[in-house]
Amino acid sequence: MSRLRFDVVQDAFKKKAVSVDIPAEKVSEYFGELVFNRDKMQKYLDAKTFERLVNCIDNGGALDRKTADLVAAGMKTWALEHGVTHVTHWFQPLTEGTAEKHDSFMEYDGKGGMIESFDGKSLVQQEPDASSFPNGGIRATFEARGYTAWDPTSPVFIQDDTLCIPTVFISYTGEALDYKTPLKKSIKAVTEAALPICKLFNPKVKKVFSYLGWEQEYFLVDEDLFAARPDLMLSGRTLMGHAASKNQQLDDHYFGAIPSRVAAFMRDIEIAGYKLGIPLKTRHNEVAPNQFELAPIYGEANLANDQNQMMMNVMNTVARKHGFVVLFHEKPFEGINGSGKHNNWSLGTDTGTPLLAPGKDANGNLQFVTFFVNVLAAVQKHNSLLKASVGSATNEHRLGGGEAPPAIVSAFLGKTMTDVLRKLLTVPSDTPIEIAGKKGASVGLVEIPEIFLDNTDRNRTSPFAFTGNRFEFRAVGASANCAGAMTTLNSAVAEQLLDFKQAVDAGMASGKAMNIAVMDCLKPIIKSVLDVVCFDGNGYCEKWKTEAARRGLDVETNVPKLFKAFTGKESVDMFSRLGVFSEVELQARNEVKWETYSKKVQIEARVVGRMSINHIIPAALEYQTKLLKNIDLMRASFPDDYKSMADTQMGIVREISTLVSDIKSKVDAMIGERIKANVITDEYKKALAYHEIGRSLLEIRKSLDQLEEIVDDDMWPLPKYREILFIN
């Protein structure tokens, strides 16, 4: 092992867990202490201001300038008590990350001194440069004006010495330039579409909520080893590297004992998360070595999404304090599991009723089946669009891999609900749907087993699985902003519910009872979803690809092509009808997606080319020279027998020459294709070209990884998988 690599690896293995300063009080006593929540509002705002702010949060009421000034004054007082010196509008541009510009509280006091100042105008609106963020052509370089506007439904929080105000980000001309704006619009659309249907079953319902529970998978690597791998540093994944002799094949990492350094890191991020009001619940080892997961308790979708972004920022910061780097890339290591961010999605009402769980009586169960079936119908109709919503240059490497769902969006129901739906097709429309065991046997009942949450198996190969009281959208990538997928899902379901309500109204207008009108509308939908989108089998099976195509499901795997679904007629009509996206915004987002795809593959291609030429080939040639010197010594020492004695060395020399030549020629060809791609002005065509370049990187990698198996370990310049993947 090279001296440099030896030192780096040794330093990594010598590191010990950083001690964690665990607060003495219980978590419940400091939970949310860095969040301007309702408790803080009551303490720092007068009664009338508090009432107006709560009305704004809960009911969308407007805040006048005077009230905004009073809210800002209360926030400032609270912030100064925590040592805050700056304020920022915290937003989520189309970069998959967050953005913030910090402004000091300091202003001139008009008397030659300074004073801390923060008013309603600064709280409600700021003006970042809209042309410097991805915008798909909505803003040119000379058209820089854009606005961030406060989102009162997501609490203000403190990060280090800065007061962070969650905001939307829009252009001067009104188009959304972020993830939060369309997410909020989609939440409004789905909850408003669901409300009239809920009122059919319970007139007392006044509000419907969209819920999200995310499960964040991630890898940890030692920061010294990370710094010794240019591919990890620049692309977030290893672009070369042979599999370790042992990786995850023994299934001994999943739910195993958490390494002490990792446990200390986890405690630190949990403490930080609790202070930010993030209800973290679960932590554990994931399947692959160095892979872990954390997950919170469910929350309202907008806030839950903000909290995921906050948590990713916290993890990045805290990891460095523990000598780690967090990898959110979906496939940072070849040959082992990648990382997803499972989005558990559901709807519920202000009466406490979950809409995707069985009810307490036949009426409640019919409501459950109504929403259950309409969600499936939405997934079926917008199958391509949902897949496009999780597509990216990074997630492309994960979908279809071990523990990841295939690149075909199907829905897993489990035997129980499949049987329930099939039975509903065969009985009269006025047949009650009851929970088995709740009532005595009754002829004709469609029964749902009482122990509902555990009466279906789990299917890890399903992208969209029903898990008892929610659907789990498993195809979302670990690095993604949940809002992309959730905006699409909310919108698809909203459109379906609107159409369904219209059909039910027509049935009731013709004289049908509500329950019969509902079931008559459900039956053709049930038959369709069972025939097309519902699949409980092995999603990895090759036969499923053929069957899915026969059913009419989207089987495309080329990510740039997937993005076309956003600007298809059905998608444009749906988003426009709901007011979530305009056609201009959809076209702009596709431009951003294609451009981002091309740039990410371009970076990887540059890294592979330079590492091949500057790192790997020199190491291989150095070892080849060492072998040739050995052969020369053999010739000098055994002139008559050296050929037979040095046959192994000569074989390795030839193999190295073949692989080096192969790498060089493939790198040169790849660079040539890159030069051609870079002059393409159409972003879609450029992305298609880079998709092919990405495929060529896989071929270069094969030869690079073969060299790693041949070259003297002392001479190999990069930390290997066996050194990176096992934290002590």
Side-chain angles (χ1 to χ4, degrees):
M1 189 186 303
S2 68
R3 183 72 251 171
L4 175 60
R5 189 171 125 233
F6 177 81
D7 290 342
V8 169
V9 173
Q10 285 296 103
D11 287 345
F13 276 90
K14 287 177 183 177
K15 285 183 178 176
K16 296 181 180 179
V18 176
S19 60
V20 180
D21 185 16
I22 302 175
E25 64 266 41
K26 294 182 295 185
V27 171
S28 58
E29 293 175 348
Y30 65 85
F31 184 82
E33 71 175 33
L34 297 181
V35 180
F36 197 71
N37 53 26
R38 298 203 182 198
D39 287 342
K40 312 293 192 321
M41 293 176 194
Q42 284 188 309
K43 180 178 178 181
Y44 290 90
L45 304 178
D46 64 74
K48 187 170 290 188
T49 303
F50 172 75
E51 181 181 341
R52 289 173 178 167
L53 180 55
V54 169
N55 180 53
C56 174
I57 295 170
D58 292 345
N59 305 311
L63 280 184
D64 57 68
R65 176 60 187 273
K66 180 180 178 182
T67 302
D69 283 338
L70 292 171
V71 172
M75 285 181 181
K76 185 188 74 171
T77 300
W78 169 70
L80 291 175
E81 290 175 2
H82 284 79
V84 167
T85 58
H86 288 69
V87 62
T88 184
H89 273 202
W90 183 84
F91 57 103
Q92 300 168 35
L94 302 179
T95 59
E96 302 291 348
T98 60
E100 51 197 64
K101 175 177 70 76
H102 297 195
D103 290 320
S104 169
F105 278 150
M106 301 308 296
E107 294 286 354
Y108 287 116
D109 64 0
K111 304 174 184 177
M114 303 293 288
I115 190 173
E116 287 84 5
S117 176
F118 179 56
D119 59 15
K121 182 180 178 182
S122 300
L123 167 64
V124 171
Q125 182 177 304
Q126 286 187 2
E127 185 183 327
D129 185 344
S131 66
S132 297
F133 291 99
N135 60 70
I138 287 176
R139 296 272 81 191
T141 301
F142 61 87
E143 296 172 325
R145 195 179 297 278
Y147 301 107
T148 51
W150 177 35
D151 172 16
T153 63
S154 186
V156 169
F157 61 95
I158 292 173
Q159 183 176 274
D160 298 324
D161 64 352
T162 304
L163 185 68
C164 299
I165 303 166
T167 62
V168 299
F169 179 36
I170 60 174
S171 74
Y172 177 71
T173 45
E175 294 88 359
L177 298 176
D178 65 343
Y179 281 101
K180 179 185 273 284
T181 303
L183 175 63
K184 287 177 67 67
K185 289 180 178 179
S186 76
I187 292 170
K188 182 175 184 289
V190 73
T191 56
E192 289 183 352
L195 183 59
I197 297 176
C198 289
K199 285 184 174 293
L200 293 175
F201 301 96
N202 181 3
K204 294 181 180 179
V205 174
K206 295 180 180 178
K207 195 170 185 179
V208 176
F209 301 93
S210 174
Y211 292 106
L212 167 64
W214 46 266
E215 302 170 26
Q216 180 71 61
E217 294 177 339
Y218 61 97
F219 281 83
L220 288 175
V221 297
D222 188 276
E223 62 180 345
D224 293 337
L225 299 176
F226 173 83
R229 294 280 314 215
D231 48 357
L232 272 179
M233 288 183 66
L234 298 176
S235 73
R237 74 181 182 111
T238 53
L239 298 168
M240 56 195 72
H242 200 283
S245 301
K246 176 186 180 297
N247 45 58
Q248 66 186 48
Q249 64 265 50
L250 294 179
D251 300 320
D252 55 345
H253 190 258
Y254 191 52
F255 280 19
I258 300 172
S260 59
R261 284 181 65 200
V262 177
F265 161 76
M266 288 179 169
R267 286 192 293 271
D268 238 1
I269 60 173
E270 284 177 344
I271 291 168
Y274 292 145
K275 290 181 178 180
L276 289 169
I278 303 172
L280 299 172
K281 183 72 173 177
T282 302
R283 66 185 185 197
H284 63 83
N285 287 6
E286 255 301 333
V287 173
N290 280 26
Q291 188 186 32
F292 309 94
E293 180 181 297
L294 82 161
I297 300 170
Y298 263 43
E300 291 184 36
N302 179 46
L303 177 57
N305 185 65
D306 281 1
Q307 290 178 338
N308 179 243
Q309 294 295 303
M310 292 160 63
M311 206 63 224
M312 292 172 76
N313 290 341
V314 166
M315 292 166 72
N316 279 324
T317 301
V318 172
R320 293 289 187 168
K321 297 177 182 178
H322 290 263
F324 290 127
V325 173
V326 179
L327 301 180
F328 290 117
H329 194 290
E330 283 75 10
K331 197 73 172 178
F333 300 100
E334 187 68 22
I336 62 175
N337 284 6
S339 294
K341 178 151 48 191
H342 306 164
N343 280 205
N344 295 277
W345 175 90
S346 65
L347 297 171
T349 72
D350 59 340
T351 61
T353 302
L355 297 179
L356 292 175
K360 297 178 181 179
D361 53 27
N363 185 65
N365 288 327
L366 180 57
Q367 176 178 261
F368 156 61
V369 171
T370 297
F371 281 95
F372 180 80
V373 170
N374 276 285
V375 170
L376 295 173
V379 172
Q380 178 175 314
K381 179 177 181 181
H382 292 289
N383 184 263
S384 300
L385 182 62
L386 284 165
K387 184 161 62 172
S389 75
V390 301
S392 68
T394 53
N395 206 24
E396 187 173 35
H397 299 287
R398 166 181 167 262
L399 292 180
E403 285 292 303
I408 301 170
V409 176
S410 62
F412 169 80
L413 308 189
K415 185 177 185 304
T416 300
M417 282 310 301
T418 300
D419 290 347
V420 167
L421 295 188
R422 291 196 186 284
K423 188 169 183 180
L424 285 172
L425 291 176
T426 65
V427 299
S429 294
D430 61 351
T431 304
I433 307 172
E434 298 289 359
I435 304 295
K438 291 291 187 183
K439 292 186 177 181
S442 176
V443 178
L445 287 179
V446 176
E447 295 187 334
I448 303 173
E450 185 175 359
I451 306 173
F452 193 82
L453 292 179
D454 298 316
N455 65 7
T456 62
D457 201 352
R458 298 181 68 195
N459 189 328
R460 290 186 174 274
T461 71
S462 175
F464 197 80
F466 182 63
T467 56
N469 58 1
R470 63 193 181 277
F471 282 97
E472 183 180 11
F473 196 5
R474 300 188 68 250
V476 184
S479 67
N481 188 312
C482 301
M486 291 298 95
T487 297
T488 303
L489 179 57
N490 283 334
S491 300
V493 173
E495 180 194 48
Q496 176 61 30
L497 292 176
L498 289 173
D499 291 343
F500 181 79
K501 180 60 166 56
Q502 188 175 10
V504 170
D505 287 346
M508 292 173 66
S510 69
K512 293 180 182 179
M514 183 274 288
N515 61 322
I516 295 176
V518 167
M519 188 52 66
D520 282 350
C521 291
L522 283 176
K523 283 186 176 182
I525 301 175
I526 291 172
K527 186 179 187 311
S528 180
V529 296
L530 287 175
D531 289 345
V532 178
V533 78
C534 297
F535 177 67
D536 286 2
N538 180 7
Y540 295 155
C541 178
E542 286 298 316
K543 290 182 179 179
W544 168 232
K545 295 179 183 178
T546 303
E547 171 63 14
R550 185 195 68 77
R551 293 187 184 191
L553 296 177
D554 190 329
V555 296
E556 180 62 67
T557 58
N558 184 312
V559 168
K561 290 182 180 179
L562 292 182
F563 294 148
K564 281 278 191 179
F566 277 99
T567 50
K569 185 179 186 307
E570 282 191 340
S571 299
V572 173
D573 288 348
M574 176 190 72
F575 284 124
S576 299
R577 172 187 179 186
L578 299 173
V580 175
F581 286 118
S582 67
E583 186 170 3
V584 169
E585 288 173 317
L586 287 170
Q587 291 170 344
R589 297 210 168 215
N590 266 13
E591 291 292 311
V592 170
K593 289 175 183 291
W594 287 321
E595 183 181 7
T596 301
Y597 182 95
S598 297
K599 287 179 177 178
K600 286 191 174 182
V601 179
Q602 181 188 65
I603 290 168
E604 290 186 351
R606 287 174 172 173
V607 171
V608 167
R610 289 166 183 170
M611 288 182 70
S612 296
I613 303 303
N614 300 139
H615 292 73
I616 306 304
I617 289 178
L621 295 179
E622 183 182 0
Y623 180 51
Q624 188 181 57
T625 300
K626 182 178 179 180
L627 290 172
L628 289 170
K629 288 180 179 178
N630 176 265
I631 293 170
D632 284 343
L633 289 173
M634 296 279 282
R635 181 188 294 112
S637 302
F638 309 100
D640 298 327
D641 302 321
Y642 87 93
K643 288 185 179 180
S644 60
M645 296 175 69
D647 185 61
T648 298
Q649 293 93 315
M650 285 302 301
I652 297 174
V653 166
R654 292 190 184 97
E655 190 172 1
I656 290 173
S657 291
T658 299
L659 289 170
V660 166
S661 296
D662 183 62
I663 292 167
K664 181 64 168 62
S665 63
K666 286 178 178 176
V667 166
D668 287 345
M670 179 268 291
I671 292 173
E673 291 304 309
R674 222 173 64 213
I675 291 171
K676 293 178 186 176
N678 289 342
V679 298
I680 299 174
T681 56
D682 183 287
E683 291 295 348
Y684 173 59
K685 292 179 180 178
K686 179 181 285 190
L688 289 177
Y690 266 105
H691 179 267
E692 295 307 308
I693 291 171
R695 291 163 64 91
S696 73
L697 300 185
L698 300 177
E699 294 303 312
I700 298 172
R701 177 174 188 147
K702 290 178 183 177
S703 298
L704 292 168
D705 291 354
Q706 283 181 265
L707 269 183
E708 183 181 321
E709 290 288 273
I710 298 170
V711 173
D712 186 345
D713 189 64
D714 282 352
M715 296 180 176
W716 196 253
L718 305 174
K720 297 183 176 181
Y721 273 24
R722 71 167 190 267
E723 296 158 346
I724 299 174
L725 280 174
F726 299 94
I727 295 171
N728 286 338

